[in-house]
Amino acid sequence: MSDSNRVVVYKGPGEVAVETMDYPKLEVPAEVADHFGITKKAPHAVILKLVTTNICGSDQHMVRGRTTAPIGQTLGHEITGEVVELGEDVLFVKKGDICSVPFNIACGRCRMCNEGKTGICLNVNPARAGAAYGYVDMGGWVGGQADYVMIPYADFNLLKFPDRDQALEKILDLTMLSDIFPTGYHGAYTAGVTTGSTVYVAGAGPVGLAAAFSAQLLGASVVLVGDMNGDRLKQAESFGCVGIDLTTDGSLAEKIDQVVGEPEVDAAVDAVGFEARGHGEGAAEAPATVLNDAMTVARAGAGVGIPGLYVTGDPGAVDDAAKQGTLGVRLGLGWAKSHSLHTGQCPVKQYNRKLMNLILSDRADIAKAVNAKTIGLDQAPDGYAQFDSGAAQKFVIDPHGMTG
C-alpha cells in the first residue's frame, strides 16, 4: 500500500493545489478525540480508494475566500470509493466493496443519529452539531478529493452498492449520491413538492439542477429554474424545465405569471445561498435576495426548501452584519404567508438508498441532468477554475482511472 496520498488543498482565495500528504490512518482527528474524550484509534473505520470524488459548489465558497477556511484546508466531501483497508470492528462491509459516502459524518450512536438527523450528529465536531469531510469548521476531517480517504463509523456511514460491475457502469450517476442528488431532493421534498406542484428553483448550478430534477421525480407539473447564466439555463431546459433568465426586464413574479398563469408557485427552492446577487447584468451581491424572492413568489402556506449554503462567518460579505450571517431576510413576509422554511445540511442517509435504487433501475439519469464531466485529480485546479467561471458542468474527479 502507498505511504503517501495526493489531496486537493485550499491555498488562498482563488487557488487550490494537489499536494502530497501522509497516507490516511484508522484514526479520528485529534481535536475530535480530545474534545469528546474518546480514543484516536478508530477500529470502526475504513480506508477507501477513491473511485470518484466531485467538486461541490460549497467547496467554491471556501476557495473564493468567502469562509474562515485556513490556508491548507483539505477539500472534498463528495466521496465514492472502494474499501481497501478496514478496522477490526468493521463487520458488514468488506475489502473490494464499492460504496457511497454521505458527506455528513455521523457516529450512528447519538440522539440525533438515532432520530435520523445525521446532518447534525453530536459526536463528530467540537465546534457544533454536524461534520463533513474537508470542510471549514467541520471537525478537522481530511477531505476526499484525494487518492485515499479514511471513513469513520463505516458500518453506519457507508452505502454499499449491490453489484460491483453494475456500480462501475453507472458510476457517474451513483457518484451524485454522496451529496448533490440527496441535497437537491431534500430541497424539493422539504419545500413540499408533490404530484402536480408548480415549483420555482433559484439557481441552475449543480444543486439547483438536482433539485429541479428531483422536483420532477416528485411529480411536479412545471419546474421553473432561475439563473443569470445562459448555459446553465439551457442545461435546465435540456431535461424539461422552464428557464427563467433573471438578467432580463420584469419581476420574477411577472416571469412566473407568463408561464403558469399566476404570479406564484406551490413550492420554492433556494439553491444559491449566501453569495446571491440581485437580478440584472452586473447586479451587486445581495445575500438575502433569493430568500426574499422565494417568499415573494411562494403562495400562502407554501414551503421553501433551502439547500443553498448560509454561513456564520463570511469575511468577504457586503457589510458587517452579513459577515456574521445576519441578513436582511423579510421574515415578516414569510410569517404572514404561513410559509415553512427548511434549513440546514441534508441528512443524506434519509434519501441515498432509495435514490440509489432509482439509478440502478434506470429511473434517474442524474449525471445527464447535471452534465457530469470526468477529470483527473491533477486537473482539479482547472476544474475549480472552470466551475467558478460558470461552466454548466458538474466536475467528477477520477483519481485512479476507474470510470472507464
Side-chain angles (χ1 to χ4, degrees):
M1 194 64 66
S2 171
D3 59 359
S4 64
N5 186 30
R6 295 179 302 159
V7 184
V8 179
V9 174
Y10 170 61
K11 302 298 289 182
E15 184 180 357
V16 302
V18 180
E19 297 188 350
T20 299
M21 301 177 62
D22 290 340
Y23 183 82
K25 299 178 180 179
L26 296 175
E27 295 180 351
V28 302
E31 64 189 90
V32 173
D34 293 345
H35 179 84
F36 293 103
I38 61 176
T39 178
K40 281 184 66 178
K41 184 180 178 182
H44 48 75
V46 302
I47 307 296
L48 294 186
K49 176 182 179 180
L50 271 296
V51 177
T52 52
T53 175
N54 317 326
I55 299 175
C56 180
S58 54
D59 294 325
Q60 288 286 21
H61 295 303
M62 285 187 290
V63 173
R64 292 181 187 129
R66 296 299 299 270
T67 73
T68 55
I71 304 300
Q73 168 75 56
T74 60
L75 301 173
H77 57 268
E78 299 194 7
I79 297 166
T80 305
E82 177 185 358
V83 177
V84 294
E85 184 179 342
L86 50 134
E88 61 267 24
D89 195 38
V90 178
L91 305 178
F92 302 111
V93 293
K94 308 298 181 186
K95 287 185 180 180
D97 287 347
I98 296 181
C99 305
S100 179
V101 184
F103 78 89
N104 326 107
I105 300 171
C107 73
R109 308 173 187 201
C110 71
R111 173 181 175 177
M112 293 296 102
C113 287
N114 281 322
E115 294 178 2
K117 301 173 183 175
T118 52
I120 44 175
C121 175
L122 301 176
N123 291 332
V124 286
N125 184 358
R128 63 179 64 130
Y133 304 90
Y135 211 85
V136 60
D137 296 333
M138 284 290 174
W141 303 86
V142 175
Q145 288 170 10
D147 287 318
Y148 300 91
V149 67
M150 187 276 292
I151 307 299
Y153 308 108
D155 280 323
F156 184 71
N157 283 308
L158 294 180
L159 174 65
K160 176 187 171 181
F161 300 139
D163 182 85
R164 180 186 177 91
D165 291 340
Q166 184 187 33
L168 289 173
E169 179 184 340
K170 294 181 176 293
I171 196 66
L172 286 185
D173 293 302
L174 295 170
T175 191
M176 306 303 169
L177 292 171
S178 58
D179 180 355
I180 177 178
F181 194 8
T183 293
Y185 190 93
H186 180 66
Y189 181 81
T190 56
V193 178
T194 187
T195 306
S197 296
T198 57
V199 184
Y200 174 68
V201 177
V207 169
L209 295 171
F213 183 81
S214 298
Q216 293 177 337
L217 287 175
L218 287 164
S221 58
V222 181
V223 181
L224 306 98
V225 181
D227 205 289
M228 293 182 281
N229 180 314
D231 289 339
R232 289 184 169 183
L233 288 174
K234 289 178 184 176
Q235 184 60 31
E237 292 166 350
S238 73
F239 58 94
C241 299
V242 178
I244 302 294
D245 186 349
L246 300 178
T247 66
T248 59
D249 292 338
S251 70
L252 177 59
E254 290 169 342
K255 296 175 191 295
I256 289 172
D257 189 21
Q258 291 171 8
V259 178
V260 300
E262 55 184 349
E264 58 188 10
V265 291
D266 299 322
V269 179
D270 171 6
V272 178
F274 72 102
E275 288 192 70
R277 295 184 174 274
H279 298 181
E281 292 282 2
E285 190 168 302
T289 190
V290 171
L291 289 172
N292 290 333
D293 276 351
M295 289 186 288
T296 298
V297 301
R299 70 172 65 254
V304 179
I306 311 174
L309 178 68
Y310 289 87
V311 296
T312 56
D314 174 10
V318 293
D319 55 48
D320 289 341
K323 287 179 181 179
Q324 301 177 59
T326 302
L327 310 179
V329 177
R330 295 184 64 196
L331 187 58
L333 174 63
W335 192 94
K337 296 176 74 173
S338 295
H339 285 161
S340 60
L341 278 64
H342 200 104
T343 65
Q345 294 182 15
C346 167
V348 169
K349 280 175 62 65
Q350 288 190 21
Y351 306 105
N352 63 352
R353 185 176 301 276
K354 292 179 181 178
L355 295 178
M356 174 189 74
N357 290 342
L358 282 177
I359 290 169
L360 295 180
S361 299
D362 297 321
R363 296 289 303 280
D365 295 329
I366 184 65
K368 183 178 179 181
V370 301
N371 198 20
K373 178 182 179 181
T374 305
I375 60 174
L377 186 61
D378 290 327
Q379 296 172 285
D382 183 57
Y384 268 93
Q386 289 187 52
F387 190 24
D388 193 47
S389 71
Q393 293 175 312
K394 175 69 172 177
F395 289 94
V396 176
I397 298 171
D398 174 4
H400 298 282
M402 295 182 69
T403 63

